[in-house]
Amino acid sequence: MLIGEFVPQIFETPLSAYSTLGPLALVLAITMVKEGVEDYKRHRSDYEVNNRLCPVVQPDGTDKAVAWKDLRVGMVIKVENKGEVPADVIAVQTSEAKGACYVETSNIDGETKLELKEAVTVLSVAAPAYGD
């Protein structure tokens, strides 16, 4: 279209650059605002999730509340019944026989179903029951 406007020998166009540029700029501006609002909402949601507290078991057996964003590899966390898990974790011990626990992964894949997970058998057999 731009070539047709400035070099009419090639082909003629009934449009001008300004009649196309205006609507294009309007659509791009609206899309940018929409994407910016969505990014801001996602940023606020991520901030809230990252600052949730999780009980971390200390070496002396006490619990200490730590923000999810401050969790590091090797920390032992305690998850209560129906509690949210802050990250990829390995079940070390559960209150159920054979170290079974059920995890709902609806926040990950949108599908609400319970998946059976089992604690690491080497660790769960050797460790005493929680609270002993």
Side-chain angles (χ1 to χ4, degrees), residues 16-79:
S16 71
Y18 300 109
S19 68
T20 307
L21 185 61
L24 176 64
L26 179 66
V27 168
L28 288 176
I30 291 171
T31 303
M32 284 175 33
V33 169
K34 181 181 138 287
E35 292 294 327
V37 168
E38 288 177 2
D39 284 347
Y40 178 72
K41 288 180 181 178
R42 190 176 309 115
H43 172 72
R44 288 195 55 170
S45 172
D46 287 347
Y47 179 81
E48 290 174 11
V49 169
N50 287 335
N51 285 301
R52 288 183 186 164
L53 296 177
C54 175
V56 174
V57 180
Q58 300 296 309
D60 63 356
T62 60
D63 294 344
K64 177 183 175 185
V66 174
W68 285 9
K69 66 181 179 181
D70 296 327
L71 289 176
R72 300 292 176 249
V73 173
M75 288 183 168
V76 178
I77 64 171
K78 182 169 69 172
V79 180

